[in-house]
């Protein structure tokens, strides 16, 4: 299994603090059935700045350590960039890192709202051939209140990624219910751990897959797993038009 979102790189953000923590996270990831993991440190979120070249160097270092410890987890490079006005200028400058050097880029919205310029920025990004993946929309307060905001971005080409822990109820019942509704409404394309450590914010990948299997069956589990595979190979991922009937049903709940 591939986990496309993690904070396993040590000492760069609020994830693994030292190499020892990263190694422990890697061991736990393997226990969860993860064989490849994308390291996606925070960037431009007001606290942390992790530019492309620095991440690439640190991913190499981590892979070397894991190899020397005989831990067969492959770490791929990525970045979790908070949306900001000059993101595309910095992309041109070479500070922004797509997921495993593909044309897919993680975009994090602020937790409380969806900035007005989001739609325009994601549109311009796609004109450059880059597909935005909005990370954990289910934990955004404005999206929870008004899911249409998200659906409109998805209809205009954005992809979305749910957090495994949201599906398992680790972020509360409301977030869990909304996550399931996003799947039902064909409005999400990936499930990933967003793991920060081995305790309070760990992987929950296996548990989330069981939940998806129970609620939607094996085909939907396969869809999410296949999409992660396609992503790291820079191929087109599966997506369906959000269903109007399902959307109405799911919008009606809020
Ligand atoms: Fe994250």
């Amino acid at each position: 299994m591939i986990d496309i979102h993690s904070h396993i790189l040590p000492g760069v953000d609020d994830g693994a603090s030292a190499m020892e923590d990263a190694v422990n996270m890697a061991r736990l990831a393997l226990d969860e059935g993860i064989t490849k993991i994308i390291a996606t440190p925070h960037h431009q979120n007001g606290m942390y700045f992790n530019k492309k070249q620095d991440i690439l160097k640190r991913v190499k270092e981590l892979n070397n350590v894991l190899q020397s410890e005989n831990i067969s987890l492959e770490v791929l490079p990525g970045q979790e960039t908070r949306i900001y006005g000059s993101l595309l200028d910095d992309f041109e400058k070479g500070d922004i890192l797509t997921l495993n050097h593909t044309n897919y880029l993680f975009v994090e919205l602020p937790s409380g709202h969806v900035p007005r310029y989001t739609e325009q920025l994601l549109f311009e990004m796609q004109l450059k051939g880059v597909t935005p993946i909005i990370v954990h929309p289910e934990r955004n307060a404005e999206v929870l209140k008004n899911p249409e905001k998200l659906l409109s971005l998805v209809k205009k080409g954005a992809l979305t990624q749910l957090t495994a822990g949201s599906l398992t109820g680790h972020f509360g019942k409301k977030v869990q219910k909304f996550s399931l509704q996003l799947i039902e409404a064909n409005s999400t394309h990936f499930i990933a751990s967003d793991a920060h450590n081995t305790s309070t914010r760990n992987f929950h990948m296996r548990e989330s897959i069981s939940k998806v299997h129970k609620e939607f069956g094996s085909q939907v589990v396969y869809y999410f797993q296949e999409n992660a595979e396609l992503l790291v190979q820079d191929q087109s991922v599966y997506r369906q038009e959000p269903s109007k009937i399902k959307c109405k049903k799911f919008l009606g709940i809020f």
Side-chain angles (χ1 to χ4, degrees), residues 5 7 42 80 136 194 196:
H5 186 160
H7 297 269
H42 289 293
E80 180 179 10
H136 44 70
D194 197 4
H196 282 63

Side-chain angles (χ1 to χ4, degrees), residues 5-7 13-14 40-42 80 106 108 135-136 139 161 163 193-196 201:
H5 186 160
S6 76
H7 297 269
D13 61 9
D14 55 346
T40 51
H42 289 293
E80 180 179 10
F106 266 175
E108 184 192 34
V135 297
H136 44 70
R139 286 154 47 199
Q161 171 255 306
T163 309
S193 75
D194 197 4
H196 282 63
R201 292 286 303 276

Side-chain angles (χ1 to χ4, degrees), residues 4 9 37-41 51-60 63 74-80 91 94-106 128-131 133 228-235:
I4 67 165
L9 268 198
I37 191 166
I38 309 186
T40 51
K51 292 183 180 178
K52 178 177 174 175
Q53 290 307 327
D54 194 35
I55 296 170
L56 294 176
K57 192 178 119 223
R58 287 169 183 271
V59 165
K60 246 184 208 168
N63 276 319
E74 186 185 357
V75 183
L76 307 172
Q79 187 184 48
E80 180 179 10
F91 181 82
D95 293 344
I96 303 299
L97 177 58
T98 59
L99 300 171
N100 196 31
H101 305 289
T102 64
N103 284 318
Y104 294 99
L105 181 70
F106 266 175
K128 289 180 184 294
V130 176
T131 302
I133 300 177
E229 299 266 356
L230 291 166
L231 180 151
V232 298
Q233 294 162 23
D234 204 12
Q235 294 181 28

Side-chain angles (χ1 to χ4, degrees), residues 5-229:
H5 186 160
S6 76
H7 297 269
I8 192 170
L9 268 198
V12 296
D13 61 9
D14 55 346
S17 45
M19 187 55 84
E20 192 188 345
D21 303 309
V23 169
N24 288 335
M25 281 180 76
R27 288 206 170 96
L28 188 59
L30 278 181
D31 285 349
E32 286 262 335
I34 297 162
T35 51
K36 285 183 188 167
I37 191 166
I38 309 186
T40 51
H42 289 293
H43 182 54
Q44 287 280 1
N45 71 344
M47 285 276 281
Y48 303 107
F49 296 87
N50 286 292
K51 292 183 180 178
K52 178 177 174 175
Q53 290 307 327
D54 194 35
I55 296 170
L56 294 176
K57 192 178 119 223
R58 287 169 183 271
V59 165
K60 246 184 208 168
E61 284 167 6
L62 177 55
N63 276 319
N64 286 341
V65 171
L66 296 182
Q67 267 181 9
S68 69
E69 301 256 348
N70 281 322
I71 299 171
S72 53
L73 178 76
E74 186 185 357
V75 183
L76 307 172
Q79 187 184 48
E80 180 179 10
T81 303
R82 177 74 61 91
I83 195 165
Y84 63 106
S86 50
L87 195 163
L88 293 177
D89 296 335
D90 288 348
F91 181 82
E92 293 300 330
K93 272 194 235 159
D95 293 344
I96 303 299
L97 177 58
T98 59
L99 300 171
N100 196 31
H101 305 289
T102 64
N103 284 318
Y104 294 99
L105 181 70
F106 266 175
V107 177
E108 184 192 34
L109 300 172
S111 59
H113 70 288
V114 179
R116 277 166 187 263
Y117 60 83
T118 300
E119 188 180 320
Q120 181 63 24
L121 194 146
L122 298 190
F123 173 71
E124 286 171 22
M125 189 179 286
Q126 290 175 82
L127 289 183
K128 289 180 184 294
V130 176
T131 302
I133 300 177
I134 300 169
V135 297
H136 44 70
E138 79 282 5
R139 286 154 47 199
N140 176 283
E142 189 176 342
V143 171
L144 267 160
K145 253 188 254 163
N146 185 6
E148 261 176 297
K149 287 242 164 184
L150 183 72
L151 289 187
S152 154
L153 297 172
V154 171
K155 283 178 182 164
K156 288 173 180 146
L159 300 169
T160 74
Q161 171 255 306
L162 290 178
T163 309
S166 297
L167 284 161
T168 56
H170 286 82
F171 291 92
K173 282 275 167 217
K174 195 174 172 182
V175 167
Q176 184 182 32
K177 193 171 171 186
F178 186 45
S179 303
L180 294 169
Q181 285 163 338
L182 285 177
I183 296 176
E184 197 185 354
N186 297 332
S187 298
T188 191
H189 312 85
F190 306 96
I191 295 169
S193 75
D194 197 4
H196 282 63
N197 52 51
T198 55
S199 53
T200 49
R201 292 286 303 276
N202 72 42
F203 294 92
H204 304 300
M205 285 296 276
R206 237 191 249 286
E207 202 185 335
S208 71
I209 286 166
S210 298
K211 181 72 181 169
V212 172
H213 190 265
K214 187 176 155 227
E215 299 287 340
F216 302 101
S218 56
Q219 277 217 318
V220 176
V221 170
Y222 179 78
Y223 156 84
F224 284 117
Q225 292 184 337
E226 185 67 9
N227 265 357
E229 299 266 356

